[in-house]
Amino acid sequence: MRLDYPYGLYLERDKTISFQFDGQVYKGFEGDTIASALVANRVKLISRSFKYHRPRGILSMAGQDGNSLVQVDDEPNVRADSRAIEEGMVVTAQNVIGKLHNDRGRVVELFSRFLPVGFYYKAFYKPRGAWRYWEPVIRRMAGLGKVDLRSQSDYTDKQYRFADVAVIGGGPAGMSAALEAAENGAEVLLIDENPILGGSLNYARFNEDRGEIQTTAGELIRAAKRHSGIEVLTNAQCTGWFDDNWLSILTNRRLLKLRSQSVVVASGSFEQPAVFRNNDLPGVMLGSAAQRLLRLYGVKPGQRAVVMTGNSDGYGVALDLFEAGVEVASVIEMRKGLPDCELTQAVMRREIEIICNSTIHEAVSGPGKRSIKGVTVAAIDGDARLARASREISCDLLCMSVGYSPAAQLLCHSGGRMIYDEHTSMLKVAALPRHGGGERAVIAGSLNAVFDLQAVIVDGKHAGWAAADMAGFNRKTEPALPEPRAAAGQNYSWPIAAHPEGKEFVDYDEDLQIKDIEQSVAEGYDNLELVKRYATVVMGPSQGRQSALNNLRIATKAAGRSLQGLSVTTQRPPFHPEPIQLLAGRSFQPVRRTAIHHRHLELGAEMMPAGDWLRPAYYGDPALRTQLIEQEALAIRNRVGLIDVSTLGKLEVCGPDAAEFMNRMYTFAYLKQPVGRLRYVLKTDETGVITDDGIAARFGDDRFYVSTTTGGSDTVYRSMLLWRARWCLDVDITNVTSAYSAISIAGPLSRKVLQKMPQDMDLRAKAFPYLEARCGKLSDVPVRLLRVGFVGELGWEIHVPSSQAEFLWDVLLEAGKELACKPVGVEAQRLLRLEKGHIIVGQDTDGLTVPQEAAMSWAIAKKKPFHIGKRSCEILSAKEQTRCLVGFSLPAESRMPEESNLTLSGNDIAGRVTSVAYSPALRQTIGLAYVRPEQGDVGNHFEIKLSDGERIRAEIVELPFYDRENARQAV
Amino acid sequence: MACPLNGVRNISEFVCGGEVLDMPDLQTCSEREWADYLFMEANTKGMVREWWMHAASSYWFIAERNTETNEIVKTYPVAALYSERIDYRTGEL
Amino acid sequence: MTKRRTQIYRKFLESDFVFGNSNGYRVPLSMNGQRKHDEPENGLALCDLSAMNRVGYKGADVDTWCESQHGIACPPVNHSALTKNGLLVVRLSSTELLMLEDLDATPDFEMILEEVPAVSLLPRQDSHHVFMLLGQHCASMFSKLCAVDLRYHKFKEMHVAQTIMARVSVIVVRCDMEQTPAYYVLVDSSLAEYLWDSILDAMHEFEGRVVGRNDLAGGGLTVAGER
């Protein structure tokens, strides 16, 4: 079956490769695809169809159809006509029960009469529950490849690319466009899905003398490869076109994201099949598929061929087959008379029979429908009707050359449009994508309905110039456009021959016949988008490449409408299947680490995520979790502990309007806050909902140092910047979250630890009272000391330049060693603050919590003229309150509720538990919960509904739970 | 999107801050007017003015965007809309 | 151990580096001499320069301040300029500057710090880490992490980009070393370890390697340069 050079452009014949298909070992050459190697081994049957398990073979030989899907090792749905073979590759057939050759699933076809379009919807939804039974049966019988859940993902990643002009398609139009754009000074990226440039020049027959084409192709390819302004990307598929010329391109192991100023689309056309009985059997293929097999892979597609044609390209196919030594039995010409063209003359000179005004009525199947043994031919009777089949011609190959459909899918992703033109019987591009308020795309070649080779090259050149001009490069004057020439004659208007026994496939992927489309319209789905969804036409793996045009014709005729100006269904990305591993690629998941992170690891900390950060949950063996947390909490209550609180947001607010700005951003009053003092900050949005809280230290008349919650630093910072811009206040806001690390030292012995270190501050209670701040030095490290009481003990937050935080942590631990100072994690910290009744914004508040519900009304300065939530707070405080946050405790024998368990009022939902924990200091379970205001008095009881439905009784107690007089933090 | 400070960047570098709206006078507006300002979206089909921020430089600016075509027509610094200091009075004073 | 530490100093401890003290930090100065000469010419190197001095200035008067303090015209936004005594001045916005000590120079940084008024000072030393990437494969490597076109003919010397790299905010400054393309990358300190690892991963296919500060200066560098 193999032909010698120059046939087989892709092949490296000195390298033989063995692979397996359906259990058999075959040999091919390097450069072969699975399909070409199989044909070379006389294997025509490649797959079984989706629904009826019909035998299928090569259709397009271009990786553009669903007939060639196979499983390669653990990778499903590989297109056999575009995947190159590799040594040892194991290829298996898909959707097959048993062997491909003798698929037991093919019995389904016997029942095809009972499987009309939409039968899933009709048959399996009644009685209720039937689908649950039928679904696995159907999934086994109809389907594609198998996913191996054990398969390992390869390393894949993504890369951004940049170009002034992107050219999609490396055929004559694309290469010519790329050259002209580059000549104008633009940086060009030329993208083609094939292994080498050339496109149709590599396989198609434009005229009798092929030498001329080879010269043209050679010159263009050489020039495009050599031009310093052109980067060539082969084996790359452009799969999507998004806003602002953002193109996604698949390569072997990498997803490219290309941004270009302008795009030339020269993606060519898809040859279209004719619709007749058995048009899907192995041996029936597009004319261009036969040419590809010959020229690219050096494989004879058959022994004896019939060519069915409605344009001049069919004669090129006949000529190519003849020259390659395939017997050409006949050319079936659908048009009335012989066209007067060079290729027709050439075919006639070779005394090949041409039968005019006729069509194929049926492909006659060979044994088991695994091949064809001939065709029947019928005369066309006027109005696209057929006379009776008059003749049978024996053959094992039937080539179809009846027309094209533009490969305009990418254009349509981004605002382009295709409409049907009755004059040429073609879909044509009617609108192009526009971006940034202007034209940013241009088309060329057969996509632009230009088919004559010389005209295509001229058209490409003009497109290249126009695209460069759009991108701002126009060194040269505008080249000429090709002479306008009607594209009439490329597409035969009605390549559709209904057969009384059916099996004329419109959509190969979904096994849809003419009657299925007509039936859908008859059932009322008479709009193309509805036909698509009801019949699932154009929804298969080929996404309508070979079915959209004929479907449009058949559905529109069935609906009794005119085709002129009609559009096909909406196109969406991706244009080619995208392996999920390429989309997943190398993903970036930023993790923020504090300066002390590695010390925590060395101390055996169990780390937990907190916003973007990692924080130590507790230190030690997870098996001892509860114990460890209690020990850490007791360390702070009884002695001293260190907590890394670097994740708190930290903002500097500086400038003459700093106090005024603080006064507007936060609910409390800051104008008169003395320098050196701390004040609680509570932030609401304009609707009065609590969004953040923290502490503000005033370090000067014009300087505040403000902390935010761990998750809030970015949002508070951004919100401050926005409001500053709006108010035009003279204030600078700086996010210093990462510049300062913070270590909280707390516990009755914390002052002793600090006093053991060299330092220049007077830490005694009188000199440095509760809620004050000082700047100074600790162990010769510059620090900001904030005396706060979040955990309710004597303690300080030590804010330190991050580069010195690890050093200071070490010094603190060392100084605290003999006082049994412990590192303490987030879990213990949360427990300690709960004992003090302090809320955590986002845990004890939700997206609707206003200050009065969380018992935070004390933090609102009512007399000041403005804060962001002022008006809303005023309106809400005049209205009846619907819930309130209370502290509760549980009896010792009670079960433990979980956070978010419901609280009840009678049988109605009152609220939910927001925090709950066992307090080792109080020896009881305590928590915070929302209840109805009328339930909220101290001493009342309410019910909590546990996750399993059991109800427990909780008692409302006064806050804080621990150290009610707040004496411990003030010592 | 074209940031007035940093030039053309991927949209993923930006954060949208919502439509530019004038806050009604806190002292004089009715509760209904205030609620309208907070909650009622005009849902304009056509041009809207929005707050946008370039995240990497924390730079706020104004963008005019067509909600029908999602085309960003122009972007400019905040000062074009807000260039004078805004102060709030106390009702009681 | 020194008082000041970078977030990634640990990464050097187990590899073959000669260390030294600089500016209160312990820094990897160079790869062990033996190895350096054995290695073939290489097109990509990564160096941690976080120990070097830097500070930010914020204020409405940046133009006049820059001119009076450093004797150079303030560069336009998203551009940078070198002062005579080797300070790289990076303009981030109409009111904000970032000043980096350049590799070859020894500006008196204490003096520079004293001249920045407290309200205008931004603590960039601690807020950001500074990496340098250099070599002919820089731009290709960056394109795996960053959507801004940082190729040599598009992103010229002394240009500045404030953008996203591997999903985190960075400031990129192109500041070539002799004929070798070189870029400073500044990143939030808490994300420094994450970005370092991301860059190492992206560098892998170009056989990029980590070098010490002394490998960059004084001709010891074997990174091939081509603009």
Side-chain angles (χ1 to χ4, degrees):
Chain A
M1 299 289 276
R2 289 284 188 182
L3 299 157
D4 290 336
Y5 189 80
Y7 290 107
L9 200 55
Y10 288 175
L11 300 183
E12 300 277 344
R13 295 188 202 235
D14 49 353
K15 290 180 191 154
T16 307
I17 291 177
S18 311
F19 68 104
Q20 247 189 59
F21 177 69
D22 205 30
Q24 283 252 49
V25 177
Y26 296 97
K27 282 193 164 68
F29 295 120
E30 183 166 307
D32 257 326
T33 61
I34 298 166
S36 67
L38 287 175
V39 178
N41 284 287
R42 298 176 188 272
V43 176
K44 286 187 173 179
L45 172 60
I46 295 177
S47 71
R48 291 278 173 172
S49 72
F50 182 73
K51 191 164 145 191
Y52 299 140
H53 293 247
R54 282 179 64 95
R56 293 281 162 83
I58 283 169
L59 177 63
S60 71
M61 201 53 215
Q64 302 292 350
D65 63 81
N67 280 9
S68 69
L69 295 185
V70 292
Q71 179 108 13
V72 174
D73 299 318
D74 58 1
E75 186 183 354
N77 305 326
V78 174
R79 285 157 291 154
D81 57 347
S82 66
R83 173 65 63 88
I85 53 169
E86 287 167 36
E87 188 61 41
M89 192 184 239
V90 176
V91 184
T92 46
Q94 300 187 155
N95 194 29
V96 163
I97 302 173
K99 283 277 178 214
L100 173 66
H101 192 69
N102 201 11
D103 174 17
R104 292 199 298 281
R106 71 183 189 281
V107 296
V108 174
E109 193 184 350
L110 300 176
F111 302 102
S112 65
R113 207 149 62 82
F114 309 108
L115 302 174
V117 62
F119 93 104
Y120 293 136
Y121 310 126
K122 291 169 182 162
F124 298 113
Y125 84 106
K126 272 182 186 169
R128 203 184 153 100
W131 179 248
R132 203 183 301 169
Y133 170 76
W134 284 109
E135 187 190 355
V137 179
I138 292 167
R139 290 217 185 277
R140 203 161 54 239
M141 292 304 289
L144 300 169
K146 286 196 172 61
V147 174
D148 182 354
L149 296 174
R150 292 162 308 173
S151 70
Q152 291 292 308
S153 182
D154 295 322
Y155 183 92
T156 59
D157 65 1
K158 299 170 191 170
Q159 186 170 34
Y160 294 97
R161 288 294 187 103
F162 315 93
D164 299 320
V165 175
V167 179
I168 302 169
M175 289 190 289
S176 158
L179 281 166
E180 180 68 12
E183 281 295 300
N184 274 282
E187 203 173 46
V188 179
L189 189 64
L190 176 58
I191 304 147
D192 195 90
E193 63 181 355
N194 296 298
I196 57 175
L197 287 179
S200 60
L201 290 172
N202 290 336
Y203 62 85
R205 186 92 187 204
F206 290 89
N207 38 29
E208 188 176 2
D209 177 16
R210 262 196 71 85
E212 197 183 312
I213 291 165
Q214 273 159 352
T215 314
T216 309
E219 280 168 6
L220 274 173
I221 293 170
R222 260 193 308 280
K225 276 185 170 167
R226 280 185 191 161
H227 203 292
S228 63
I230 301 176
E231 186 189 348
V232 177
L233 210 58
T234 48
N235 283 321
Q237 289 164 334
C238 189
T239 58
W241 186 338
F242 304 93
D243 279 356
D244 299 316
N245 291 344
W246 168 268
L247 303 170
S248 57
I249 300 165
L250 299 184
T251 65
N252 187 25
R253 284 275 170 270
R254 183 168 278 175
L255 177 70
L256 304 180
K257 302 192 259 185
L258 171 68
R259 181 80 79 181
S260 69
Q261 296 299 310
S262 61
V263 184
V264 177
V265 190
S267 47
S269 302
F270 299 122
E271 190 159 41
Q272 297 294 300
V275 181
F276 53 87
R277 180 169 164 83
N278 289 341
N279 62 342
D280 62 329
L281 295 184
V284 181
M285 66 179 75
L286 299 172
S288 55
Q291 289 176 313
R292 281 182 158 101
L293 278 172
L294 291 170
R295 298 284 169 193
L296 305 180
Y297 304 102
V299 178
K300 273 194 217 176
Q303 301 300 322
R304 184 178 155 89
V306 168
V307 178
M308 169 193 200
T309 188
N311 56 28
S312 60
D313 293 338
Y315 295 90
V317 174
L319 206 55
D320 277 339
L321 289 168
F322 180 87
E323 286 175 2
V326 177
E327 185 188 345
V328 181
S330 307
V331 173
I332 311 299
E333 168 63 79
M334 302 177 85
R335 292 170 290 187
K336 282 215 172 78
L338 273 181
D340 177 24
C341 81
E342 189 188 326
L343 290 169
T344 311
Q345 304 292 337
V347 168
M348 287 171 73
R349 274 202 302 281
R350 283 161 182 81
E351 297 182 340
I352 295 169
E353 182 192 29
I354 303 173
I355 305 170
C356 284
N357 197 29
S358 295
T359 185
I360 305 292
H361 194 215
E362 175 184 357
V364 183
S365 62
K369 299 204 189 85
R370 291 184 291 265
S371 62
I372 58 168
K373 62 178 186 187
V375 292
T376 62
V377 180
I380 297 173
D381 176 14
D383 191 20
R385 278 179 321 191
L386 302 183
R388 279 191 66 81
S390 56
R391 216 180 126 180
E392 186 166 333
I393 304 171
S394 72
C395 63
D396 66 344
L397 172 68
L398 172 61
C399 296
M400 305 176 279
S401 294
V402 298
Y404 299 88
S405 192
Q409 281 83 350
L410 285 171
L411 288 172
C412 296
H413 290 174
S414 202
R417 221 159 56 86
M418 276 191 285
I419 59 169
Y420 194 84
D421 175 27
E422 279 202 315
H423 174 62
T424 56
S425 304
M426 289 182 121
L427 285 165
K428 64 174 188 186
V429 175
L432 291 175
R434 293 169 63 84
H435 293 294
E439 290 180 352
R440 286 280 181 267
V442 53
I443 56 174
S446 72
L447 180 65
N448 197 22
V450 179
F451 288 88
D452 174 81
L453 182 58
Q454 288 315 312
V456 162
I457 291 170
V458 173
D459 192 41
K461 185 170 178 179
H462 185 269
W465 180 87
D469 188 45
M470 286 171 194
F473 300 88
N474 47 8
R475 276 188 205 155
K476 295 165 69 181
T477 51
E478 182 173 359
L481 275 166
E483 305 231 337
R485 207 175 308 185
Q490 291 298 334
N491 277 21
Y492 184 72
S493 59
W494 194 260
I496 296 159
H499 192 282
E501 291 168 61
K503 298 288 174 326
E504 335 86 332
F505 289 93
V506 180
D507 188 314
Y508 296 92
D509 301 346
E510 305 274 333
D511 279 347
L512 293 164
Q513 311 162 47
I514 294 175
K515 66 164 189 191
D516 294 321
I517 308 300
E518 289 173 344
Q519 180 72 28
S520 302
V521 174
E523 289 186 26
Y525 301 96
D526 61 349
N527 168 294
L528 210 59
E529 293 283 355
L530 297 178
V531 175
K532 167 180 162 182
R533 282 159 183 80
Y534 186 63
T536 67
V537 63
V538 312
M539 284 171 75
S542 73
Q543 290 284 290
R545 284 166 174 78
Q546 286 88 20
S547 56
L549 178 61
N550 284 330
N551 175 53
L552 173 72
R553 286 167 171 156
I554 294 166
T556 307
K557 190 184 176 200
R561 299 209 183 95
S562 157
L563 278 162
Q564 183 64 30
L566 284 189
S567 193
V568 291
T569 51
T570 307
Q571 308 288 323
R572 296 182 181 86
F575 172 50
H576 272 285
E578 293 174 336
I580 288 176
Q581 68 172 7
L582 275 185
L583 298 183
R586 187 171 65 124
S587 65
F588 298 114
Q589 281 154 343
V591 178
R592 298 182 79 174
R593 295 179 177 94
T594 75
I596 312 164
H597 178 83
H598 290 277
R599 284 289 186 258
H600 301 318
L601 299 183
E602 288 157 13
L603 287 163
E606 191 66 21
M607 302 302 283
M608 61 181 263
D612 304 332
W613 296 86
L614 284 176
R615 295 192 66 185
Y618 53 90
Y619 297 82
D621 184 355
L624 304 170
R625 184 178 182 276
T626 315
Q627 254 169 286
L628 291 168
I629 294 168
E630 286 184 10
Q631 284 167 10
E632 289 174 16
L634 287 172
I636 284 187
R637 287 279 174 253
N638 299 330
R639 305 188 69 81
V640 57
L642 292 183
I643 312 173
D644 179 2
V645 292
S646 304
T647 60
L648 291 174
K650 302 164 212 86
L651 306 172
E652 299 252 25
V653 177
C654 300
D657 285 329
E660 171 65 22
F661 183 76
M662 290 293 294
N663 223 33
R664 296 184 187 189
M665 290 304 300
Y666 290 104
T667 59
F668 225 178
Y670 303 95
L671 291 177
K672 292 177 186 154
Q673 179 179 352
V675 172
R677 287 288 289 177
L678 298 177
R679 204 158 269 189
Y680 180 70
V681 293
L682 182 71
K683 189 174 180 296
T684 72
D685 62 14
E686 286 181 285
T687 67
V689 168
I690 296 173
T691 54
D692 205 77
D693 72 347
I695 288 283
R698 191 167 195 173
F699 283 124
D701 284 339
D702 55 357
R703 292 185 67 193
F704 287 83
Y705 179 67
V706 191
S707 70
T708 75
T709 58
T710 293
S713 64
D714 279 348
T715 40
V716 173
Y717 176 54
R718 289 168 182 176
S719 157
M720 282 189 175
L721 291 176
L722 190 150
W723 284 104
R724 188 204 51 174
R726 201 159 152 174
W727 292 326
C728 298
L729 291 184
D730 190 357
V731 61
D732 271 319
I733 301 134
T734 313
N735 189 344
V736 293
T737 300
S738 297
Y740 288 98
S741 294
I743 301 164
S744 173
I745 181 166
L749 302 180
S750 54
R751 184 181 281 125
K752 283 217 172 89
V753 174
L754 294 183
Q755 281 170 340
K756 288 178 69 176
M757 297 161 67
Q759 34 97 9
D760 60 0
M761 289 162 289
D762 187 347
L763 297 174
R764 286 170 301 173
K766 275 198 180 138
F768 196 160
Y770 182 55
L771 290 182
E772 295 239 326
R774 300 281 183 272
C775 296
K777 286 199 163 181
L778 256 184
S779 287
D780 209 28
V781 173
V783 292
R784 294 170 169 189
L785 245 49
L786 277 50
R787 199 173 153 192
V788 294
F790 189 54
V791 295
E793 298 292 342
L794 170 68
W796 287 267
E797 267 177 21
I798 309 167
H799 291 243
V800 49
S802 286
S803 60
Q804 300 175 63
E806 190 182 89
F807 169 78
L808 192 67
W809 172 269
D810 292 347
V811 174
L812 282 163
L813 267 187
E814 184 60 33
K817 213 174 198 173
E818 55 194 59
L819 299 170
C821 178
K822 273 175 86 79
V824 173
V826 178
E827 296 288 0
Q829 186 194 17
R830 286 186 180 169
L831 167 63
L832 294 167
R833 67 85 210 180
L834 176 61
E835 289 173 345
K836 290 300 294 176
H838 294 305
I839 62 162
I840 295 178
V841 173
Q843 175 167 341
D844 301 302
T845 69
D846 54 42
L848 293 171
T849 308
V850 295
Q852 54 179 339
E853 292 174 344
M856 300 296 281
S857 298
W858 59 269
I860 298 178
K862 297 189 179 60
K863 283 190 182 149
K864 63 182 185 180
F866 180 86
H867 62 86
I868 292 172
K870 181 177 170 71
R871 184 66 202 265
S872 292
C873 285
E874 283 171 359
I875 292 170
L876 290 167
S877 64
K879 291 199 155 88
E880 200 183 336
Q881 199 174 326
T882 56
R883 59 176 178 170
C884 60
L885 189 68
V886 295
F888 69 86
S889 66
L890 295 174
E893 70 283 0
S894 175
R895 287 177 63 195
M896 182 92 157
E898 288 174 281
E899 280 155 13
S900 288
N901 278 162
L902 297 177
T903 61
L904 302 174
S905 166
N907 282 324
D908 296 334
I909 297 169
R912 67 187 167 86
V913 175
T914 61
S915 294
V916 65
Y918 175 77
S919 161
L922 299 164
R923 297 171 193 281
Q924 68 178 155
T925 300
I926 56 170
L928 296 173
Y930 284 102
V931 296
R932 296 248 171 99
E934 64 271 17
Q935 293 176 293
D937 291 337
V938 170
N940 277 356
H941 286 81
F942 66 95
E943 282 188 321
I944 297 170
K945 190 177 174 184
L946 302 181
S947 300
D948 62 7
E950 191 192 329
R951 295 178 179 197
I952 55 169
R953 262 165 75 82
E955 181 184 349
I956 296 179
V957 296
E958 199 182 329
L959 291 175
F961 300 98
Y962 181 79
D963 183 24
R964 230 151 249 171
E965 296 73 37
N966 290 327
R968 299 179 65 90
Q969 63 211 35
V971 294
Chain B
M1 186 175 216
C3 168
L5 184 72
N6 295 287
V8 177
R9 292 295 170 80
N10 284 348
I11 201 72
S12 54
E13 292 200 9
F14 297 93
V15 174
C16 183
E19 211 174 325
V20 176
L21 295 171
D22 286 326
M23 187 190 283
D25 188 325
L26 293 185
Q27 309 296 337
T28 59
C29 78
S30 66
E31 284 190 16
R32 175 161 293 280
E33 282 168 330
W34 183 248
D36 277 355
Y37 162 71
L38 291 181
F39 302 115
M40 300 306 284
E41 290 288 340
N43 219 2
T44 312
K45 180 181 179 182
M47 296 302 300
V48 291
R49 252 192 336 215
E50 291 169 328
W51 289 96
W52 282 83
M53 190 191 72
H54 181 246
S57 58
S58 295
Y59 175 77
W60 283 103
F61 58 95
I62 308 292
E64 295 189 2
R65 186 173 67 92
N66 186 332
T67 56
E68 200 181 349
T69 61
N70 200 25
E71 194 176 307
I72 294 154
V73 177
K74 76 181 167 180
T75 58
Y76 44 86
V78 179
L81 296 186
Y82 295 95
S83 58
E84 286 195 17
R85 184 188 169 103
I86 294 174
D87 277 304
Y88 299 96
R89 294 165 289 108
T90 329
E92 294 144 24
L93 274 174
Chain C
M1 260 320 265
T2 49
K3 260 196 328 194
R4 293 168 125 187
R5 293 160 203 182
T6 72
Q7 290 265 62
I8 50 172
Y9 76 91
R10 276 180 178 75
K11 298 193 178 289
F12 300 94
L13 296 180
E14 303 208 337
S15 50
D16 204 7
F17 274 90
V18 176
F19 283 84
N21 286 358
S22 163
N23 203 14
Y25 294 84
R26 186 159 169 78
V27 291
L29 289 176
S30 60
M31 290 182 299
N32 207 322
Q34 199 64 38
R35 253 181 68 191
K36 189 167 62 186
H37 298 293
D38 291 349
E39 289 212 348
E41 284 229 325
N42 196 314
L44 185 59
L46 168 65
C47 182
D48 177 29
L49 296 179
S50 303
M52 296 182 65
N53 285 308
R54 61 197 165 276
V55 70
Y57 180 91
K58 198 169 192 177
D61 61 341
V62 277
D63 287 283
T64 51
W65 186 82
C66 187
E67 189 135 15
S68 65
Q69 291 298 319
H70 301 295
I72 53 160
C74 196
V77 171
N78 283 326
H79 287 74
S80 58
L82 274 166
T83 67
K84 271 191 230 89
N85 60 349
L87 197 64
L88 181 65
V89 178
V90 180
R91 178 81 174 264
L92 296 176
S93 75
S94 60
T95 58
E96 190 178 339
L97 291 178
L98 165 69
M99 285 155 288
L100 297 170
E101 184 183 25
D102 193 48
L103 263 178
D104 303 326
T106 48
D108 185 347
F109 219 84
E110 291 295 316
M111 211 177 78
I112 290 164
L113 279 176
E114 275 167 27
E115 282 157 1
V116 182
V119 283
S120 300
L121 184 136
L122 304 177
R124 294 286 192 184
Q125 186 75 35
D126 293 285
S127 68
H128 284 72
H129 274 47
V130 184
F131 303 151
M132 178 175 260
L133 279 138
L134 68 171
Q136 58 175 340
H137 293 309
C138 273
S140 308
M141 190 280 296
F142 279 134
S143 73
K144 293 167 70 180
L145 302 173
C146 177
V148 172
D149 190 351
L150 296 173
R151 290 176 302 165
Y152 314 121
H153 61 291
K154 296 278 178 174
F155 189 74
K156 300 268 164 66
E157 251 211 288
M158 308 314 274
H159 278 216
V160 176
Q162 301 175 64
T163 183
I164 308 283
M165 190 174 282
R167 288 185 61 198
V168 300
S169 294
V170 290
I171 301 167
V172 182
V173 185
R174 166 116 183 253
C175 190
D176 290 358
M177 302 208 35
E178 310 281 323
Q179 292 302 304
T180 307
Y183 299 79
Y184 287 105
V185 176
L186 283 95
V187 62
D188 184 287
S189 295
S190 66
L191 291 159
E193 189 178 344
Y194 159 79
L195 186 66
W196 180 269
D197 291 341
S198 299
I199 291 174
L200 282 185
D201 180 52
M203 282 172 47
H204 188 72
E205 73 174 277
F206 307 103
E207 291 171 9
R209 65 205 159 111
V210 174
V211 298
R213 189 161 127 188
N214 288 359
D215 298 325
L216 299 176
L221 182 73
T222 53
V223 171
E226 192 184 292
R227 289 194 203 206

